[in-house]
Coordinates of all heavy atoms in Angstrom, one line a residue:
S46 N 2.5 6.1 26.8 CA 1.6 5.0 27.4 C 1.6 3.8 26.5 O 2.6 3.3 26.0 CB 0.2 5.6 27.7 OG -0.6 4.6 28.3
F51 N 4.2 0.5 20.1 CA 4.0 0.5 18.7 C 5.1 1.4 18.0 O 4.8 1.9 16.9 CB 2.6 0.9 18.3 CG 1.6 -0.1 18.7 CD1 0.9 0.2 19.9 CD2 1.3 -1.2 18.0 CE1 -0.1 -0.8 20.4 CE2 0.4 -2.2 18.5 CZ -0.3 -1.9 19.7
G54 N 5.7 0.4 14.7 CA 4.5 0.4 13.8 C 4.8 0.9 12.3 O 4.1 0.5 11.4
T72 N -3.0 -12.0 -8.7 CA -4.0 -11.6 -9.6 C -3.6 -11.4 -11.1 O -4.5 -11.3 -12.0 CB -4.6 -10.2 -9.2 OG1 -3.6 -9.2 -9.1 CG2 -5.3 -10.3 -7.8
A78 N 3.0 -11.8 -20.5 CA 3.2 -12.1 -22.0 C 1.9 -12.2 -22.7 O 1.8 -12.8 -23.8 CB 4.0 -13.5 -22.2
L112 N -9.2 25.5 7.8 CA -8.5 25.7 9.0 C -7.5 26.9 8.9 O -7.3 27.6 9.9 CB -7.7 24.4 9.4 CG -8.6 23.2 9.7 CD1 -7.7 22.0 10.0 CD2 -9.4 23.5 11.0
F115 N -9.7 30.0 9.3 CA -10.5 30.2 10.6 C -9.9 29.6 11.8 O -10.2 30.1 12.9 CB -11.9 29.6 10.4 CG -12.7 30.2 9.2 CD1 -12.9 29.4 8.1 CD2 -13.2 31.4 9.3 CE1 -13.5 29.9 7.0 CE2 -13.9 32.0 8.2 CZ -14.1 31.2 7.0
S125 N 1.6 25.0 0.8 CA 1.5 26.2 0.0 C 0.4 26.1 -1.1 O 0.0 27.2 -1.6 CB 2.8 26.6 -0.6 OG 3.2 25.6 -1.5
P128 N 1.0 25.5 -7.5 CA 0.4 24.6 -8.6 C 1.3 23.4 -8.9 O 0.8 22.3 -9.0 CB 0.3 25.6 -9.8 CG 0.0 26.9 -9.2 CD 0.9 26.9 -7.9
T150 N 4.5 6.4 -0.1 CA 4.5 5.0 -0.3 C 3.7 4.6 -1.6 O 4.0 3.6 -2.3 CB 3.8 4.2 0.8 OG1 2.5 4.6 1.0 CG2 4.6 4.5 2.1
L170 N 10.7 -8.2 -21.7 CA 10.9 -7.0 -20.9 C 11.2 -7.3 -19.5 O 11.4 -6.4 -18.7 CB 9.7 -6.0 -21.1 CG 9.5 -5.4 -22.4 CD1 8.3 -4.5 -22.5 CD2 10.7 -4.6 -22.9
G191 N 31.1 2.1 0.6 CA 31.6 3.5 0.3 C 32.2 3.6 -1.1 O 32.8 4.6 -1.4
L192 N 32.0 2.5 -1.9 CA 32.5 2.6 -3.3 C 31.5 3.2 -4.2 O 30.3 3.0 -4.1 CB 32.9 1.2 -3.8 CG 33.9 0.4 -3.0 CD1 34.0 -1.0 -3.5 CD2 35.3 1.1 -3.1
A193 N 32.0 4.0 -5.2 CA 31.1 4.6 -6.2 C 31.0 3.7 -7.4 O 31.8 3.8 -8.4 CB 31.6 6.0 -6.6
R226 N 3.5 -27.2 -1.6 CA 2.8 -27.3 -0.3 C 3.9 -27.4 0.8 O 4.7 -28.3 0.7 CB 1.9 -28.5 -0.2 CG 0.6 -28.3 -1.0 CD -0.3 -29.5 -0.7 NE 0.2 -30.8 -1.1 CZ -0.2 -31.9 -0.7 NH1 -1.2 -32.0 0.1 NH2 0.4 -33.0 -1.1
D252 N 16.5 4.3 7.7 CA 17.5 3.3 7.3 C 16.9 2.1 6.6 O 16.6 1.1 7.1 CB 18.3 2.8 8.5 CG 19.6 2.1 8.2 OD1 19.7 1.6 7.0 OD2 20.5 2.0 9.0
A264 N 8.1 -9.9 7.8 CA 6.7 -9.7 7.2 C 6.4 -10.8 6.2 O 5.2 -11.3 6.2 CB 6.6 -8.3 6.5
N273 N -0.8 -20.0 4.8 CA -0.8 -21.4 4.9 C -1.9 -21.9 5.9 O -2.5 -22.9 5.6 CB 0.6 -21.8 5.4 CG 1.4 -22.5 4.3 OD1 0.9 -23.1 3.5 ND2 2.7 -22.2 4.4
L274 N -2.1 -21.2 7.0 CA -3.1 -21.6 7.9 C -4.5 -21.5 7.3 O -5.3 -22.4 7.5 CB -3.1 -20.6 9.2 CG -2.0 -20.9 10.2 CD1 -2.1 -19.8 11.3 CD2 -2.3 -22.3 10.9
Y282 N -11.0 -15.7 10.2 CA -10.8 -14.4 10.8 C -12.2 -13.8 11.1 O -13.2 -14.0 10.4 CB -10.1 -13.5 9.7 CG -8.8 -13.9 9.4 CD1 -8.5 -14.8 8.3 CD2 -7.7 -13.5 10.1 CE1 -7.3 -15.2 8.0 CE2 -6.4 -13.9 9.8 CZ -6.2 -14.8 8.7 OH -4.9 -15.2 8.4
L298 N -5.0 6.7 4.5 CA -5.0 8.0 4.0 C -5.4 9.1 5.0 O -4.8 10.2 5.0 CB -5.9 8.1 2.7 CG -5.4 7.4 1.5 CD1 -6.4 7.5 0.4 CD2 -4.1 8.0 1.0
L328 N -9.4 6.4 17.1 CA -8.9 5.3 16.3 C -10.0 4.4 16.0 O -10.2 3.9 14.9 CB -7.8 4.6 17.1 CG -7.2 3.3 16.4 CD1 -6.7 3.6 15.0 CD2 -6.1 2.7 17.3
S361 N -12.6 3.7 -27.8 CA -12.6 2.8 -26.7 C -11.3 2.0 -26.6 O -10.8 1.6 -27.6 CB -13.8 1.8 -26.8 OG -13.6 0.7 -26.0
Y362 N -10.7 1.9 -25.4 CA -9.5 1.1 -25.2 C -9.8 -0.3 -25.8 O -9.0 -1.0 -26.4 CB -9.2 1.0 -23.8 CG -8.3 2.1 -23.2 CD1 -8.0 2.2 -21.9 CD2 -7.9 3.1 -24.1 CE1 -7.2 3.2 -21.4 CE2 -7.1 4.2 -23.6 CZ -6.8 4.2 -22.3 OH -6.0 5.2 -21.8
A364 N -11.8 -1.4 -28.0 CA -11.9 -1.4 -29.5 C -10.5 -1.3 -30.1 O -10.1 -1.9 -31.1 CB -12.8 -0.3 -30.0

Side-chain angles (χ1 to χ4, degrees):
S46 184
F51 295 97
T72 55
L112 291 176
F115 301 106
S125 65
T150 62
L170 293 179
L192 299 176
R226 287 189 298 163
D252 196 335
N273 256 325
L274 278 175
Y282 297 91
L298 288 176
L328 175 58
S361 167
Y362 275 177

